[in-house]
Amino acid sequence: LINTYSENDLSISIGGNFELENYGINFKDELFKMKSYIDIYIESSYNISDNLQLNINFNNILNRYNERFFMYPELGFNFIAGIKWIF
């Protein structure tokens, strides 16, 4: 689920990944039900010029312990900022 707003050089997306029923396989090859998975995020970008773009992303805004795959937890709330230069 994602919703995007764009105007001129600015783009902002708010979205989420929702897995309310998630299953995994443990070390004994047994199928088991895992906790539900909810991840809400914001992605934004601003075009400074045709060749330069500024990006800022906020992930796991609810700061939940998300384990999409068995024994592979995702980071808590985090953000990433970067510059994209096309040459």
Side-chain angles (χ1 to χ4, degrees):
L1 182 65
I2 190 166
N3 191 9
T4 302
Y5 170 78
S6 295
E7 185 175 320
N8 298 332
D9 294 328
L10 178 66
S11 176
I12 299 174
S13 298
I14 299 174
N17 297 318
F18 307 97
E19 290 187 29
L20 302 178
E21 196 164 317
N22 191 15
Y23 293 90
I25 297 178
N26 63 17
F27 296 118
K28 296 179 182 179
D29 289 331
E30 299 169 338
L31 189 67
F32 70 98
K33 186 172 183 178
M34 296 174 57
K35 290 174 58 176
S36 61
Y37 177 89
I38 299 173
D39 182 17
I40 297 176
Y41 58 88
I42 297 174
E43 298 175 346
S44 61
S45 65
Y46 180 74
N47 293 328
I48 297 170
S49 69
D50 290 340
N51 297 336
L52 195 60
Q53 184 183 65
L54 177 65
N55 299 308
I56 300 175
N57 300 336
F58 297 94
N59 302 307
N60 198 1
I61 293 174
L62 298 177
N63 197 28
R64 291 180 48 127
Y65 178 84
N66 290 328
E67 195 173 18
R68 183 177 288 188
F69 305 106
F70 178 57
M71 299 290 293
Y72 288 95
E74 292 190 344
L75 296 173
F77 174 76
N78 62 84
F79 73 94
I80 299 171
I83 297 174
K84 181 179 181 181
W85 178 32
I86 301 170
F87 55 94

